[in-house]
Amino acid sequence: MRRTVLIDAPSNLGLRPPAPGTVPGCAKLAGALREQGLLHRLGALEGGVVVPPRYDLTGWREGVDGDFNAAAMAGYTRKLAGRVEDRVRSGDFPVLLGGDCSILLGAVLGLRRLGRYGVAYLDGHGDFRHPGNVAVSGPLGAAAGEGVAQITGRGQADLTDIDGLRPYVRDEDLSVLGIRDADENQAELTELGIRHTPVGEIRRLGPETVARTVLDHLQGPALDGFWIHLDADVLDPSVMPAVDSPDPGGLLTDELRSLLAPLAASPRCVGVNLTIYDPDLDPDAKGAALLADLLEDVLAPGDVLAPEDALAQP
């Protein structure tokens, strides 16, 4: 049985401030879920904290300077990559509590050092803004909205080519799941052959069927394993409003659970990160309770399946 290790990665370096002079509250995500007793509920080992640098937009110029906090983010990515690399090499299953989506850079860099890994990218948005499509996706700046582009090698080299390892994830080794049906990045993702399944298609096919299709690919012999990126905004704001972009048309809790559980249960899954939930927007901690329950449901001990059983989940 794999050993789950809980690691805090409370970086908000890749997200725009919610208001002038403030910082994104998603850095408090890890603390909020730990208050829900997540360490004990997962039967996890304590993996500690990877402490991020200070959030500082002083002097940054939109449209001129690329991503803000880039130098700090690159240094943090290397630190987090080392932690993930060590844990996966030891056979552990790291659960990273963010933080914003830029923490995924650290996870995939660590895995890239070990071999060839895929990513199941569960997110409400395509996160494919890069220098070649700013006319469609808007100006560069917030790395949290550039995740799919950056992990596949698109964007400034100080974030996308650390240690000369661009791309951290190949286009064909990625499955983007749960984006809104009208997501602006779908046409480009289709053109590039990056697999993506919006909410409407997940509902039409059924989340279990979609999970089987994803596993059929990510458990293939070309890959050494895969990572799960889970952004809380994949959920509909009717159940998860405490995110920076609570766009309607997301998955409901049971749909996400049915999609996520077979992926997390696969023995080829080597870890997961959770991002974007903002405790500042959730004074009653209902969102924290929902996410802790969800992670317990899909990651509790005893849920790892044999490869053939993971593929055969109904």
Side-chain angles (χ1 to χ4, degrees):
M1 182 181 296
R2 65 192 182 192
R3 303 186 307 171
T4 299
V5 181
L6 201 63
I7 301 171
D8 293 4
S11 172
N12 57 8
L13 295 172
L15 204 61
R16 293 183 182 274
T22 65
V23 297
C26 63
K28 302 175 185 178
L29 181 158
L33 266 70
R34 284 179 177 269
E35 278 194 335
Q36 297 292 321
L38 188 63
L39 183 73
H40 174 73
R41 291 166 67 175
L42 296 183
L45 300 176
E46 177 56 73
V49 183
V50 182
V51 179
R54 186 176 70 167
Y55 185 96
D56 185 3
L57 269 60
T58 303
W60 175 75
R61 299 165 297 170
E62 185 170 73
V64 176
D65 294 333
D67 289 330
F68 51 74
N69 289 320
M73 205 179 313
Y76 188 73
T77 294
R78 286 188 171 91
K79 287 174 58 179
L80 188 55
R83 189 76 63 95
V84 170
E85 178 186 2
D86 289 346
R87 286 297 184 176
V88 173
R89 190 187 299 275
S90 298
D92 295 336
F93 185 89
V95 176
L96 304 186
L97 300 178
D100 68 60
C101 296
S102 67
I103 69 167
L104 179 60
L105 285 168
V108 295
L109 175 60
L111 296 176
R112 178 69 176 84
R113 292 170 177 171
L114 295 173
R116 179 177 172 182
Y117 288 81
V119 171
Y121 196 96
L122 280 68
D123 198 298
H125 306 91
D127 291 349
F128 204 62
R129 185 172 60 246
H130 60 83
N133 70 6
V134 293
V136 174
S137 298
L140 301 175
E146 303 164 12
V148 171
Q150 289 186 335
I151 67 173
T152 56
R154 298 169 173 92
Q156 58 197 71
D158 56 349
L159 295 175
T160 64
D161 196 25
I162 295 173
D163 300 338
L165 292 175
R166 185 202 321 247
Y168 311 136
V169 180
R170 303 185 192 188
D171 289 356
E172 61 267 30
D173 297 340
L174 181 63
S175 289
V176 180
L177 304 166
I179 56 177
R180 302 304 192 253
D181 291 345
D183 189 275
E184 62 193 7
N185 297 130
Q186 289 191 75
E188 188 173 7
L189 294 175
T190 298
E191 180 181 351
L192 293 167
I194 296 176
R195 292 172 174 83
H196 58 284
T197 312
V199 171
E201 189 75 355
I202 292 172
R203 289 198 174 124
R204 184 180 71 81
L205 297 172
E208 298 89 349
T209 298
V210 172
R212 287 200 301 272
T213 300
V214 172
L215 283 172
D216 192 35
H217 173 61
L218 294 182
Q219 292 185 151
L223 293 175
D224 295 303
F226 69 92
W227 183 271
I228 296 173
H229 163 77
L230 176 59
D231 183 330
D233 72 16
V234 75
L235 287 163
D236 191 82
S238 64
V239 294
M240 178 52 66
V243 296
D244 67 304
S245 298
D247 297 325
L251 294 172
L252 300 178
T253 308
D254 287 344
E255 293 172 325
L256 177 56
R257 184 183 293 108
S258 296
L259 178 63
L260 182 60
L263 301 177
S266 168
R268 303 291 298 282
C269 180
V270 297
V272 60
N273 65 260
L274 174 65
T275 63
I276 293 298
Y277 163 69
D278 186 342
D280 287 346
L281 304 176
D282 186 30
D284 296 326
K286 292 180 180 178
L290 183 156
L291 292 170
D293 289 347
L294 178 67
L295 291 179
E296 182 181 15
D297 287 346
V298 302
L299 297 177
D303 286 340
V304 180
L305 305 178
E308 62 273 15
D309 293 331
L311 284 171
Q313 283 291 286

